[in-house]
Amino acid sequence: MGDLARLPLLEKAPTTHARLLAWVEEVAELTQPDRIHWVDGSEAENKKLTDELVAAGTLKRLNPETFPNSFAAFSDPADVARVEEQTFICSENERDAGFTNNWMAPAEMKQKLRGLFAGSMRGRTMYVIPFVMGHLDAEDPKFGVEITDSAYVVASMRIMARIGTDVLDRITQTDAFFVPALHSLGAPLEAGQADVAWPCNTDKWIVHFPEERSIWSFGSGYGGNALLGKKCYALRIASVMARDEGWLAEHMLILKLTSPEQKTYYVSAAFPSACGKTNLALLDPTIKGWKVETLGDDITWMRFGKEGELRAVNPEAGLFGVAPGTGWGTNPNAMRAIAKGNSIFTNVAMTDDDGVWWEGMTEETPAHLTDWRGNDWTPESGAPAAHPNSRFCTPIDQIDMLAEEYFSPEGVELSAILFGGRRKTTIPLVTEARDWSNGIFMGSTLSSETTAAAAGAVGVVRRDPMAMLPFIGYDAGDYLNHWVNLSAKANPERLPKIFLVNWFRRTAEGAFAWPGFGDNARVLKWAIERLEGKAEAVETPIGFVPTGASIDLEGLDMTPAQVEDAVRVDPAEWETELASIEEWYAKFGGSLPAALLAELDGLKSRLG
Ligand code: GTP
Ligand code: SPV
Ligand code: MN
């Protein structure tokens, strides 16, 4: 430790890990914080931090009777979502970032970032958060350390990931590799300068160095930009690790389904941001005898096991869910988890008794609220009271229907994978892929209307391969090749069946063609019955869709003819779709796997 005496800030460091100490020292020298705090993850520490955040005006304490130990935060109105335009993959070679990512040469980017981070923590505390994505007892635990100058980030990371002393001790004892994840709000405080409730910078940079496996995030306090264990590590950096190590890091939920015969099935599903993962993961089935439990709602790490089975784990410890649309009617399991407290809400509306509210939470709209911008709000106000991308951040173990397998580092064997998007037309409610390769094709051509989860236009249809468009940490063609090549490790008998779903199709009158939410259990039931060879289907050029009678409609005000409408494959719509898929595939410039090009040819000839 001799050398460290140079830097009094590091004298009390609770680790002897040389690389970690050197990095913390280097960052402190660059960013010039007033203090360094090593986060232990304890309750006492969390209380102190949240008390300080309340005093600073960043957090509002909610009514302890209705929302115990819970807080609301309100962001700068220009810092409400992920910023894809400012997200970079800085691989050594531009080719390795691929056409779906922004790229800049690493040396040039580092220089730019060093300029931005220089002195960026002045007047603030620099927090050092040791964390692990996945289980501490995993065979090969994936460690990270986030340095941040935001206590809101510390409090949120404590919910979303396993953090603190246990993790740091393991990093130290095993001299482990960790991903250095550096975050600054980019809002230094000069002597005497008053702070604001939500410090941030108009200049935002979310940068990944895949070869170095490091992350630099500047200027934003919003979840996906600032909680670096989540999208930056567990998807972008992890997807690169997964490419190199032979596994998959995916934007997927995991659920467990138990049939009336007490058979269990594990299903994962990839939908783009704000397209229904959390809601499906926490599904409350409307059909008798079927039970759903959850394992994860946003990120899944998958690998083929010793017997060629596909195993999945959730690397996260919390939910960072879209608030609007989450209600007692649509998602009671999420509501019950939230009601237990220990949550942080961001950009929701406040009720007059210090509770929170958002569109869709209750059937009745309160007569008066304070909206997410702090203004008086009534139902006549016109604009939504909560921001469309407002979020709840809640510990996953507060979910009553959490499957016990969540706690097992070995993960669960998947029986089915769903790919899904938000499309008003064209894409049927559900389509079963012809086989595994056809399923990968469905994933690779997945499309969805954009949502408020990312800054930019909403409602524009874009291709979003495996719902990973904003999260693939390398070349998208290489990523699809990786999916295809990994299949060689599979036991063909145990490959999951793949389905394409669309809860968002509209009728000619513009209404949702399918009720969604708890009724999605009826689609899951059909999928499971297909695995068991029990349910009927009709072959179409794009795959197998249910017959009107094969979907269980008991207790639902819907006819088999309406189901047929919801799964209709319209030749004119598919002519347009095929052209759009060909345009999409052309962007890969020859780097697509032959198996997927063959799938495209097959689709073309079947469509005639
Ligand atoms: P991220 O956390 O951004 O990755 O989103 P997500 O994929 O987990 O989406 P989430 O489940 O939070 O749903 C997003 C929005 O879609 C919410 O407003 C939901 O109410 C709505 N939604 C979810 N499932 C359904 C459904 O089956 N039908 C309809 N109509 N809307 C749904
Ligand atoms: C998403 O946008 O897909 C999210 C929210 O899950 S964030 O963590 O902000 O990316
Ligand atoms: Mn997500």
Side-chain angles (χ1 to χ4, degrees):
M1 298 275 290
D3 273 351
L4 296 173
R6 268 192 298 123
L7 201 73
L9 288 171
L10 285 184
E11 260 170 20
K12 281 185 259 151
T15 178
T16 53
H17 192 289
R19 177 173 167 246
L20 175 53
L21 289 169
W23 179 59
V24 170
E25 179 175 356
E26 183 192 322
V27 171
E29 263 167 30
L30 176 67
T31 61
Q32 301 285 310
D34 277 10
R35 292 163 296 277
I36 297 183
H37 177 86
W38 292 76
V39 174
D40 64 19
S42 67
E43 219 151 287
E45 176 189 71
N46 187 55
K47 180 165 186 324
K48 184 167 175 285
L49 288 181
T50 49
D51 282 350
E52 284 169 14
L53 284 164
V54 169
T58 303
L59 294 183
K60 290 206 161 61
R61 189 182 300 281
L62 300 182
N63 187 331
E65 269 164 36
T66 39
F67 297 95
N69 189 32
S70 293
F71 304 89
F74 302 93
S75 81
D76 183 295
D79 193 22
V80 294
R82 285 181 292 100
V83 285
E84 295 181 2
E85 295 293 302
Q86 288 302 112
T87 300
F88 284 75
I89 300 295
C90 294
S91 43
E92 291 295 335
N93 297 313
E94 180 169 10
R95 189 246 158 241
D96 294 329
F99 75 94
T100 62
N101 286 307
N102 298 310
W103 179 85
M104 195 186 286
E108 190 188 336
M109 180 61 93
K110 279 274 174 72
Q111 197 183 351
K112 181 175 202 48
L113 290 171
R114 280 201 200 94
L116 290 167
F117 277 87
S120 73
M121 296 190 186
R122 265 202 308 271
R124 298 193 183 277
T125 302
M126 175 174 127
Y127 299 94
V128 183
I129 317 170
F131 66 93
V132 62
M133 298 313 293
H135 293 259
L136 196 51
D137 295 321
E139 232 176 75
D140 175 20
K142 297 299 189 203
F143 293 108
V145 177
E146 176 160 357
I147 291 182
T148 178
D149 53 6
S150 160
Y152 164 89
V153 165
V154 178
S156 304
M157 277 292 283
R158 183 169 182 267
I159 297 171
M160 294 308 299
R162 297 164 176 91
I163 71 162
T165 301
D166 291 357
V167 178
L168 181 60
D169 287 350
R170 193 70 70 85
I171 294 176
T172 308
Q173 284 152 15
T174 59
D175 194 24
F177 175 82
F178 68 92
V179 167
L182 173 56
H183 171 253
S184 175
L185 298 167
L189 284 173
E190 303 310 332
Q193 185 185 342
D195 206 355
V196 296
W198 186 275
C200 63
N201 196 301
T202 49
D203 206 11
K204 296 175 173 56
W205 295 85
I206 318 299
V207 184
H208 310 73
F209 297 95
E211 285 94 357
E212 206 179 84
R213 312 243 195 279
S214 69
I215 304 160
W216 295 57
S217 166
F218 181 87
S220 169
Y222 168 75
N225 301 328
L227 313 180
L228 301 185
K230 196 170 175 52
K231 295 301 162 64
C232 297
Y233 186 157
L235 288 180
R236 297 196 191 94
I237 294 294
S239 66
V240 178
M241 293 174 158
R243 175 198 64 192
D244 296 347
E245 299 168 5
W247 50 283
L248 291 161
E250 299 297 327
H251 193 200
M252 289 179 173
L253 65 94
I254 314 171
L255 62 81
K256 175 183 181 181
L257 200 59
T258 307
S259 74
E261 295 77 38
Q262 300 305 310
K263 274 193 83 173
T264 57
Y265 306 86
Y266 301 95
V267 177
S268 73
F271 310 154
S273 302
C275 291
K277 287 182 301 301
T278 302
N279 277 274
L280 190 68
L282 300 184
L283 180 114
D284 195 21
T286 53
I287 40 177
K288 276 197 217 88
W290 289 80
K291 181 173 161 192
V292 170
E293 292 160 89
T294 193
L295 283 94
D297 83 314
D298 196 53
I299 298 180
T300 296
W301 288 355
M302 311 194 291
R303 65 174 71 238
F304 285 102
K306 289 191 189 69
E307 296 169 20
E309 81 284 18
L310 187 58
R311 307 197 73 85
V313 295
N314 170 14
E316 299 194 279
L319 309 173
F320 187 64
V322 177
T326 306
W328 290 103
T330 54
N331 194 343
N333 289 313
M335 295 304 291
R336 275 191 285 272
I338 290 168
K340 290 184 189 171
N342 312 309
S343 300
I344 299 174
F345 301 88
T346 303
N347 290 339
V348 299
M350 298 271 300
T351 59
D352 294 344
D353 61 348
D354 289 335
V356 289
W357 193 84
W358 49 76
E359 279 67 24
M361 181 193 204
T362 52
E363 238 167 75
E364 238 174 85
T365 301
H368 181 262
L369 294 164
T370 306
D371 75 9
W372 70 280
R373 288 166 175 263
N375 298 321
D376 273 327
W377 186 95
T378 68
E380 287 74 50
S381 293
H387 187 276
N389 192 39
S390 55
R391 298 264 167 178
F392 59 87
C393 183
T394 300
I396 197 165
D397 59 9
Q398 291 187 187
I399 299 175
D400 292 329
M401 39 92 78
L402 186 69
E404 61 184 0
E405 295 87 331
Y406 164 79
F407 297 99
S408 140
E410 298 84 55
V412 294
E413 177 175 352
L414 297 178
S415 299
I417 296 176
L418 315 185
F419 291 115
R422 186 184 279 270
R423 291 286 305 268
K424 291 192 175 72
T425 67
T426 318
I427 309 296
L429 171 64
V430 56
T431 313
E432 177 193 327
R434 303 165 69 85
D435 55 26
W436 176 255
S437 171
N438 184 237
I440 298 180
F441 174 75
M442 280 179 169
S444 76
T445 57
L446 189 66
S447 59
S448 195
E449 292 144 19
T450 51
T451 65
V458 168
V460 181
V461 174
R462 69 176 186 185
R463 297 286 145 191
D464 192 338
M466 279 76 176
M468 282 285 283
L469 179 69
F471 309 120
I472 303 171
Y474 58 104
D475 175 78
D478 291 352
Y479 168 76
L480 294 179
N481 273 288
H482 184 57
W483 261 88
V484 169
N485 294 340
L486 262 194
S487 316
K489 293 190 180 180
N491 176 345
E493 310 275 283
R494 287 165 80 167
L495 269 174
K497 251 189 197 299
I498 298 180
F499 299 84
L500 180 67
V501 300
N502 177 19
W503 315 139
F504 301 91
R505 186 152 166 175
R506 304 291 179 130
T507 63
E509 292 73 41
F512 282 114
W514 176 252
F517 300 104
D519 288 314
N520 292 334
R522 300 169 194 272
V523 173
L524 292 178
K525 177 182 173 186
W526 181 81
I528 296 304
E529 289 177 346
R530 289 295 293 167
L531 302 182
E532 300 287 0
K534 286 198 233 162
E536 284 196 20
V538 189
E539 186 172 356
T540 76
I542 65 165
F544 299 91
V545 302
T547 59
S550 64
I551 296 277
D552 182 348
L553 296 178
E554 204 189 316
L556 190 63
D557 186 19
M558 200 171 162
T559 62
Q562 284 173 307
V563 171
E564 281 160 23
D565 226 27
V567 301
R568 201 166 35 89
V569 177
D570 181 289
E573 283 178 351
W574 273 90
E575 199 177 314
T576 313
E577 189 71 9
L578 182 63
S580 147
I581 289 174
E582 289 188 299
E583 212 174 285
W584 164 241
Y585 264 25
K587 293 188 179 172
F588 287 79
S591 72
L592 280 170
L596 295 187
L597 294 172
E599 288 296 332
L600 177 60
D601 283 343
L603 175 64
K604 234 191 291 189
S605 69
R606 287 191 302 274
L607 285 168

